[in-house]
Amino acid sequence: YLKADKAVIFLLHGVIPHQVHPLRNYTRKHLTADYFDQFIAELSAVGQAISMDEIQQAMLGEKELPKNSFSITFDDGFENNYTVAAPILEKYNVPGMFYVTSDFIEHNAVSWVDQIEYAVEKVEKVAIKDIDESVDGAYESIEEKRKLMDSIRRLVKGDSAIDPYHFSDKVYEMIEKKPMALDKQLDRKMSWKQVRALHAHPLFSVGGHGKTHRILSHLSPQDLEVELEDSVEKLNQAVGQKLKHFSYPEGLAHCYSEAVIEGLKQRNITCAVTAEEGYNEVGADLFRLKRVMVV
């Protein structure tokens, strides 16, 4: 993935000691620690790790872009970023950017998709009805459940009329009657104390990633204001300074807009990354930086 004259920004979510679940984390949102360690070791041997501040400076032509440069970024704010991933990055002296979702940190909240995935794994036989023809049906095997989760992701992320958390609550109650038992490795988020400690580390920085992780372009102007204001302000208060980095939740081309970018600029954000796959050349739009997903 490394290029002599382009910067690659790698997108990750979490790093866990071991994979133990039959269904949960089937998308490899959380890498195993040994895989991540090998990944960083091999990258460091042939590439030049730089921070997102240095990416921004290089895109503006204020600093030369090193050959085979790369940057490591994490989305959401999982506690394993602090306990597992950060020590590995420190081991290889590799900078890291951690984009956090403020409600996840504030309330140790779980994303809508993790809530549904938990319920689908927990119950032996899953029955979905009167939701949508793309997901209605009976599911029992792990393979069937994975296909169900793929269909749910496509449905919710592709329909701006669906509120993901209202949807997940409805589906969860249809499948599982007991409250969700949070998994320490897959569900626990960082505390504000841990966020501050990461930002205070010379290798690491933090940035915003929304309030609730809703797709920003799907929101009304009023809801967008709340989503951006809470995300940016809570983070600024936590670290005691105005931050300038942001990552769009979901991050594909339809997930952000000019209105979203303008709202970020009004809050002193100067650099935002997407989840659109690709490289970044000098002069790239700082609000449309591309990344490469690592799974």
Side-chain angles (χ1 to χ4, degrees):
Y1 283 101
L2 302 183
K3 302 291 182 183
D5 58 346
K6 299 176 184 177
V8 58
I9 304 170
F10 289 107
L11 163 58
L12 305 95
H13 289 87
V15 182
I16 56 177
H18 307 285
Q19 171 66 17
V20 298
H21 291 271
L23 175 66
R24 295 207 65 192
N25 197 42
Y26 77 96
T27 60
R28 286 172 56 87
K29 179 164 72 174
H30 301 267
L31 306 177
T32 58
D34 58 349
Y35 182 94
F36 181 65
D37 189 291
Q38 181 181 359
F39 172 68
I40 296 299
E42 292 179 357
L43 272 179
S44 300
V46 295
Q48 176 63 52
I50 60 177
S51 69
M52 284 303 301
D53 278 341
E54 291 173 305
I55 291 271
Q56 182 174 4
Q57 292 166 354
M59 296 301 102
L60 292 171
E62 298 173 352
K63 181 174 183 175
E64 185 176 353
L65 184 67
K67 182 180 179 181
N68 295 337
S69 62
F70 68 91
S71 190
I72 300 295
T73 68
F74 283 85
D75 282 0
D76 295 351
F78 291 98
E79 188 183 53
N80 62 48
N81 293 181
Y82 181 83
T83 58
V84 184
I88 294 173
L89 292 175
E90 191 173 25
K91 172 183 173 182
Y92 293 100
N93 198 38
V94 170
M97 169 63 75
F98 300 87
Y99 299 106
V100 302
T101 301
S102 56
D103 265 12
F104 288 179
I105 307 300
E106 189 90 359
H107 307 294
N108 196 33
V110 177
S111 73
W112 65 270
V113 72
D114 285 337
Q115 181 185 22
I116 297 175
E117 197 171 272
Y118 167 86
V120 170
E121 179 181 271
K122 189 81 164 48
V123 176
E124 184 177 350
K125 297 180 180 180
V126 175
I128 306 290
K129 61 180 181 179
D130 301 326
I131 296 294
D132 185 88
E133 63 179 10
S134 66
V135 299
D136 288 350
Y139 307 87
E140 185 171 356
S141 71
I142 292 298
E143 185 59 33
E144 289 171 343
K145 290 179 176 181
R146 288 182 175 185
K147 289 180 179 179
L148 169 61
M149 289 307 307
D150 289 342
S151 297
I152 286 174
R153 283 181 165 89
R154 285 193 296 269
L155 173 64
V156 176
K157 294 179 182 183
D159 190 342
S160 61
I162 296 177
D163 181 283
Y165 291 97
H166 294 164
F167 179 93
S168 63
D169 286 344
K170 183 177 180 178
V171 172
Y172 187 94
E173 291 170 6
M174 187 178 296
I175 300 173
E176 170 64 289
K177 304 307 177 186
K178 296 179 181 179
M180 182 177 179
L182 300 186
D183 183 284
K184 179 180 179 181
Q185 297 299 330
L186 298 180
D187 298 317
R188 184 176 292 177
K189 307 306 189 298
M190 286 187 282
S191 65
W192 283 121
K193 181 179 180 181
Q194 290 170 325
V195 171
R196 284 192 290 272
L198 272 184
H199 191 64
H201 193 289
L203 276 177
F204 306 136
S205 299
V206 297
H209 192 48
K211 169 179 165 61
T212 64
H213 205 277
R214 284 176 167 85
I215 293 176
L216 299 176
S217 61
H218 287 182
L219 302 177
S220 68
Q222 295 77 16
D223 288 343
L224 177 60
E225 282 291 307
V226 172
E227 192 77 17
L228 295 182
E229 184 66 19
D230 191 276
S231 170
V232 175
E233 276 307 306
K234 287 275 176 65
L235 201 52
N236 287 346
Q237 291 171 15
V239 302
Q241 66 181 93
K242 290 187 181 296
L243 299 177
K244 58 186 180 182
H245 293 278
F246 193 87
S247 167
Y248 305 109
E250 301 303 340
L252 297 179
H254 71 280
C255 298
Y256 62 99
S257 64
E258 287 298 335
V260 173
I261 292 172
E262 182 56 34
L264 291 174
K265 289 179 177 179
Q266 291 173 3
R267 291 166 175 82
N268 299 306
I269 299 297
T270 58
C271 185
V273 293
T274 73
E276 297 172 79
E277 184 157 340
Y279 300 96
N280 302 284
E281 298 179 342
V282 172
D285 188 335
L286 287 176
F287 285 87
R288 291 180 172 83
L289 294 179
K290 299 183 185 303
R291 292 190 286 178
V292 173
M293 183 88 74
V294 182
V295 294

